[in-house]
Amino acid sequence: MMTDHQPYHILREKFRRDYRCEPGVIAYAPGRVEVLGNHTDYNEGLVLSAAIDVGTFFACGPRRDGTFRLTAADVDETVEFLAAAPEASRAHPWANYVKGVLAGLAARQPLAHGCDAMFLGDIPLGSGLSSSAALEICAGLALARLYGIAVDPLDMARIGQAAEHRFAGVKCGLMDQISSLFGRNGTLVETDFRSLAVRNVPLGRDVCLLICNTHARHALVDGEYNRRREACEFSARYFATVLPHPVRALRDVSRQEWEAYRGGLSALMARRAIHPIGENERVMQGARLLAHNDLAGFGRLMYESHESSRTCFENSCPELDLLVEAARPIPGVLGARLSGGGFGGSVVVLTQCHAAAAAGAALAEAYGRAFGKPCDARILTPSDGAHVVMG
Ligand code: ADP
Ligand code: MG
């Protein structure tokens, strides 16, 4: 039960104390981890991700006037604005995510009144576990319930994404919001970024995820990210001219077709293209392996994914490579790869739960030996997605 979660009780207590009433609605949304399928989302491909067991709670109640009062309990800051006219502000960047969601809801149905709201969570901010999407989604679910606005989960994901684009200025895809909404205990979330079909793939309860955050961020990350995207779009256009069927994105190109026609691309462009093509295949194969409970096979695909990042897409870095190599010989570890955009950030490790703590300690130590400071290692369990907890 989410109500066992400590932030839930702290939030309720603070809401009572500060606002002198009980919240009418409380909703919860978790962070997420990308487990397999790297840079496949904008190539209209497949991703396996997981909602995790850290998340954010959002509590709210109606006001008689038109004011929206919003408190970030983690940083103990409050802002007030007109519910009918939320505007992005640099003074309180955290408020922009909620204002953006509110604007998205108001576009579907005018808001009848103001609101007292407060949120609190236990996702480390800005470390790639998507605290921003968790905030958007818990706010979205709670406010939709409070204002009586019916929103289906995919639409809610789009409201969160639009808040991120228009109010926070971050051009994210939909993976973070979808993972937070569709997570289920003991499963991975498989998303098809062409059809937006989502399903849960059982992972079992004996394994968990270890996230090792290097805190490395190599220069020009945004520039490199955009260049990779352009390379994928460029090669998709090339394959569209040589293949006998329509190619809208690299999703439409098989490994065999890449082999047969790669000669028309430069060596660099061909290497870039095989990464999302291969990742897409690995996600499909990975889901099949999980259906047969072949966790070792799934782990091997994670190592292959990292190798493809390292040598073909070149979105890895020495910090990430070291962690993946250090993970291989650790007992109970099944697989490891970089997670997210790359060029720094985190490695996700699939490990037997009983071995996770020792594996985390070993990885932090190996990292410390190589780079002079330990990396963060956090054990995370694939968990239930966002939902209204109360009200
Ligand atoms: P990530 O999503 O990986 O955690 P982002 O930079 O996208 O990193 O989002 C982090 C930002 O989201 C924070 O800087 C803050 O503005 C906002 N945020 C998310 N959750 C909270 C929270 N519980 N309290 C205050 N701000 C939050
Ligand atoms: Mg984010």
Side-chain angles (χ1 to χ4, degrees):
M1 263 310 277
M2 275 309 143
T3 45
D4 297 342
H5 221 106
Q6 206 188 5
Y8 172 81
H9 297 284
I10 301 172
L11 178 65
R12 259 190 103 151
E13 189 50 43
K14 186 168 165 61
F15 194 100
R16 261 188 223 121
R17 209 170 50 236
D18 290 10
Y19 292 159
R20 299 183 184 283
C21 64
E22 285 289 331
V25 182
I26 301 182
Y28 168 80
R32 65 93 190 94
V33 171
E34 172 203 296
V35 181
L36 195 61
N38 185 246
H39 285 258
T40 46
D41 53 351
Y42 57 83
N43 289 300
E44 301 189 18
L46 303 163
V47 177
L48 282 166
S49 58
I52 53 184
D53 52 338
V54 287
T56 309
F57 289 88
F58 190 97
C60 57
R63 280 174 69 103
R64 286 179 206 285
D65 63 9
T67 302
F68 199 108
R69 184 162 51 151
L70 177 65
T71 297
D74 297 278
V75 291
D76 206 16
E77 285 179 2
T78 299
V79 298
E80 284 189 20
F81 53 94
L82 276 178
E87 277 172 29
S89 132
R90 282 212 199 123
H92 300 283
W94 53 265
N96 292 335
Y97 300 93
V98 179
K99 289 174 173 175
V101 166
L102 190 69
L105 291 172
R108 281 155 179 83
Q109 185 180 306
L111 310 177
H113 50 73
C115 171
D116 279 333
M118 187 180 281
F119 61 92
L120 178 80
D122 57 1
I123 309 175
L125 308 185
S127 61
L129 298 177
S130 209
S131 69
S132 60
L135 176 53
E136 290 143 25
I137 299 304
C138 67
L141 289 182
L143 294 170
R145 177 67 62 92
L146 182 76
Y147 286 110
I149 305 173
V151 181
D152 70 44
L154 270 182
D155 208 20
M156 187 60 84
R158 289 199 186 90
I159 288 176
Q161 182 192 30
E164 194 117 12
H165 284 200
R166 297 202 197 125
F167 279 70
V170 180
K171 290 272 177 262
C172 64
L174 272 171
M175 195 243 293
D176 304 349
Q177 291 81 4
I178 286 180
S179 311
S180 181
L181 279 157
F182 288 86
R184 203 186 303 149
N185 218 328
T187 74
L188 299 181
V189 178
E190 187 192 69
T191 308
D192 179 327
F193 281 89
R194 170 161 286 166
S195 64
L196 290 185
V198 183
R199 66 178 184 126
N200 293 90
V201 180
L203 185 64
R205 316 241 166 167
D206 300 335
V207 288
C208 56
L209 303 169
L210 194 58
I211 302 299
C212 303
N213 190 344
T214 64
H215 296 288
R217 187 180 155 86
H218 289 281
L220 304 173
V221 173
D222 296 340
E224 289 295 331
Y225 179 87
N226 291 338
R227 267 210 284 284
R228 294 301 182 282
R229 236 183 131 127
E230 282 157 23
C232 292
E233 284 158 12
F234 177 87
S235 29
R237 282 196 299 276
Y238 160 74
F239 283 110
T241 65
V242 295
L243 292 177
H245 58 78
V247 175
R248 222 169 67 195
L250 285 179
R251 160 69 175 273
D252 299 307
V253 182
S254 70
R255 183 180 291 275
Q256 292 71 25
E257 289 168 336
W258 175 84
E259 286 286 0
Y261 291 98
R262 59 180 292 192
L265 286 169
S266 71
L268 181 70
M269 281 297 143
R271 266 192 294 131
R272 295 290 187 259
I274 192 58
H275 181 62
I277 294 171
E279 285 293 280
N280 218 38
E281 291 184 351
R282 281 185 281 276
V283 169
M284 288 188 273
Q285 200 187 342
R288 280 194 297 272
L289 290 172
L290 290 180
H292 292 100
N293 210 12
D294 184 353
L295 290 163
F298 187 84
R300 281 193 293 276
L301 292 176
M302 292 175 73
Y303 287 125
E304 280 177 28
S305 166
H306 187 78
E307 199 51 22
S308 171
S309 272
R310 191 176 72 78
T311 60
C312 297
F313 217 56
E314 296 182 88
N315 63 332
S316 187
C317 63
E319 290 89 343
L320 297 171
D321 293 341
L322 176 116
L323 284 171
V324 171
E325 284 316 304
R328 285 179 192 273
I330 298 176
V333 166
L334 298 160
R337 61 186 279 279
L338 72 81
S339 176
F343 311 106
S346 295
V347 161
V348 57
V349 180
L350 183 71
T351 162
Q352 301 287 350
C353 289
H354 63 79
L363 288 171
E365 203 208 289
Y367 191 86
R369 269 200 308 276
F371 296 105
K373 52 179 193 313
C375 64
D376 282 352
R378 185 182 279 267
I379 299 169
L380 296 167
T381 309
S383 297
D384 282 338
H387 55 277
V388 172
V389 181
M390 187 198 107

